[in-house]
Amino acid sequence: MKVYCPFLEGFNLSKPKTMKDLQEEVDAYIGQFKEGYFSPLALLARMTEELGELAREVNHFHGEKPKKESEEANTIEEEMGDMLFVLICFANSLNIDLQESHDRVMTKFNTRDKNRWTRIEE
């Protein structure tokens, strides 16, 4: 069953999305609401909250603290999706292009840290 979502109009959901696509999709979603983006401080608080939820899931599946039977079954994947959504909101609210940010970080890792780690021998 297909559900019509006006904020997804114009997005091709059958092809892989670029970071720009993700930022535009989130912007279209947030643009539906009068409130718009939260303030940077509120978004940082939301990101911290989502990180805590991710940490809890990682601890349940890879740590020593098993989940209670009464607890909701969230997944690490779901919590990472929540983190990504909030990060994109944060970037959009500050007019930051995440693709450019990523490219700068990769340049830094490939120059400053190029000999920092033991490479796999071919």
Side-chain angles (χ1 to χ4, degrees):
M1 172 173 88
K2 277 193 163 184
V3 177
Y4 175 69
C5 296
F7 66 90
L8 291 178
E9 196 170 292
F11 289 98
N12 181 350
L13 300 179
S14 63
K15 71 173 180 115
K17 297 176 186 176
T18 65
M19 184 58 71
K20 181 178 180 177
D21 292 338
L22 294 177
Q23 286 193 255
E24 288 176 354
E25 184 177 351
V26 169
D27 197 55
Y29 174 76
I30 296 296
Q32 302 177 91
F33 307 108
K34 290 180 183 178
E35 295 82 2
Y37 290 105
F38 294 160
S39 70
L41 191 55
L43 285 165
L44 184 59
R46 286 260 341 261
M47 193 178 308
T48 302
E49 178 185 331
E50 296 299 345
L51 181 59
E53 292 174 14
L54 175 60
R56 184 175 177 83
E57 288 303 307
V58 169
N59 197 23
H60 287 314
F61 288 98
H62 300 286
E64 289 71 40
K65 184 180 178 188
K67 195 171 263 222
K68 296 177 191 174
E69 288 183 23
S70 61
E71 288 184 286
E72 190 176 317
N74 291 341
T75 65
I76 292 171
E77 180 181 19
E78 184 179 335
E79 297 304 338
M80 284 185 172
D82 290 345
M83 284 279 308
L84 181 59
F85 178 81
V86 176
L87 178 64
I88 292 171
C89 286
F90 201 175
N92 285 354
S93 75
L94 297 172
N95 295 312
I96 293 171
D97 181 323
L98 286 172
Q99 181 66 54
E100 288 178 15
S101 296
H102 170 78
D103 292 346
R104 280 195 300 272
V105 167
M106 291 309 298
T107 297
K108 177 176 64 177
F109 288 145
N110 285 313
T111 54
R112 182 192 72 189
D113 295 339
K114 68 180 178 183
N115 296 316
R116 186 175 204 169
W117 310 108
T118 306
R119 295 200 180 264
I120 299 171
E121 301 297 324
E122 293 188 39

